[in-house]
Amino acid sequence: MLSIDPSAQPARQVYKLMTGIIVPRPIALVSTLDRRGVANVAPFSFFCGVGSVPPTLLFCPALHAADSGPALRKDTLRNVEETGEFVVNVVSEAIAEAANTTAAQVPPEVDEFALAGLTPLGSEVVRAPRVAESPAQMECKLVQVIYTSRKPGGGVIVLGEVVRFHVREDLVEDFRVDPAGLDAMGRMAGNTWVRTRDRVELIRPK
Ligand SMILES: Cc1cc2nc3c(=O)[nH]c(=O)nc-3n(C[C@H](O)[C@H](O)[C@H](O)COP(=O)(O)O)c2cc1C
């Protein structure tokens, strides 16, 4: 085995190791509003569920690197901290390219729904809009933001409680979601994404 002490490596190399080893990662397409009401959408693959009582999830909008200007917080993190709300939209293959478009670094005043050709849909509990084209959306209230570091590139954990689930009606039966219909995509390292069409059943031992 190649054994690596991360403290002796540049951050970029450690990032490559993490995104190569921790795979596949689901993708949260996170929609937010800023204080003035400008909508923002961006994908985050450091994303997972935490528990269902209460329904809680997390995603991780890392701080920008030192060379990317004075504002270290990504627009999504700034909006979440300012408004306490966000929506996580599932990325199906049908909207993968649009979701990827929203990863472009654009000024905060640019509406990324319009940029990516996605349609904002009013939420029921939070002000942030949902992505209409997404097959499942989760409206969230902010629980806590944890900075693992305040330095450039530092990790940030956004914990949210899901206050409303929305799932396309044809995809749910008795609360079970049809994975084929959801057609969620995930992320590997770099520009490689992964489909969820190759599935296996493993019966859990009693
Ligand atoms: C598939 C995908 C997954 C991504 N995952 C993350 C992530 O987990 N954390 C992160 O900080 N950036 C991630 N990014 C990069 C952000 O989407 C990108 O920095 C984006 O511009 C942030 O937008 P914002 O400034 O509007 O919040 C990812 C990009 C792509 C394409």
Side-chain angles (χ1 to χ4, degrees):
M1 302 296 277
L2 183 64
S3 301
I4 300 158
D5 175 359
S7 66
Q9 299 297 331
R12 178 80 205 145
Q13 306 295 60
V14 178
Y15 171 79
K16 281 174 4 196
L17 278 177
M18 290 191 73
T19 52
I21 292 170
I22 305 169
V23 288
R25 299 182 304 286
I27 301 169
L29 184 58
V30 178
S31 42
T32 52
L33 280 185
D34 75 5
R35 266 185 308 196
R36 297 157 303 159
V38 177
N40 191 89
V41 197
F44 296 91
S45 68
F46 282 162
F47 157 56
C48 69
V50 172
S52 53
V53 187
T56 308
L57 55 76
L58 66 79
F59 73 96
C60 304
L63 298 177
H64 282 298
D67 52 12
S68 54
L72 280 184
R73 287 185 303 174
K74 294 190 175 182
D75 294 340
T76 301
L77 176 59
R78 190 204 56 231
N79 292 352
V80 167
E81 290 195 303
E82 287 180 0
T83 64
E85 298 177 344
F86 60 95
V87 179
V88 170
N89 305 273
V90 167
V91 178
S92 58
E93 185 162 13
I95 59 166
E97 285 196 17
N100 193 41
T101 305
T102 68
Q105 211 174 311
V106 293
E109 61 275 14
V110 174
D111 180 332
E112 286 170 324
F113 275 93
L115 186 78
L118 294 168
T119 314
L121 179 64
S123 293
E124 287 183 6
V125 185
V126 304
R127 282 177 57 247
R130 300 177 267 157
V131 173
E133 291 82 359
S134 167
Q137 309 121 359
M138 294 173 280
E139 296 184 33
C140 298
K141 293 260 191 198
L142 176 63
V143 174
Q144 199 181 343
V145 178
I146 300 165
Y147 285 70
T148 63
S149 165
R150 300 253 174 195
K151 290 186 193 154
V156 182
I157 302 163
V158 173
L159 267 175
E161 179 174 341
V162 182
V163 290
R164 199 64 96 239
F165 291 91
H166 305 271
V167 190
R168 229 174 59 208
E169 219 164 323
D170 60 302
L171 302 182
V172 205
E173 204 185 315
D174 187 24
F175 289 82
R176 289 199 182 86
V177 179
D178 166 26
L182 192 72
D183 202 21
M185 291 204 80
R187 190 185 183 198
M188 308 292 283
N191 291 326
T192 306
W193 294 42
V194 64
R195 298 188 179 96
T196 50
R197 289 189 197 152
D198 183 9
R199 298 183 296 275
V200 292
E201 301 287 322
L202 290 184
I203 310 297
R204 210 188 273 199
K206 292 240 156 66

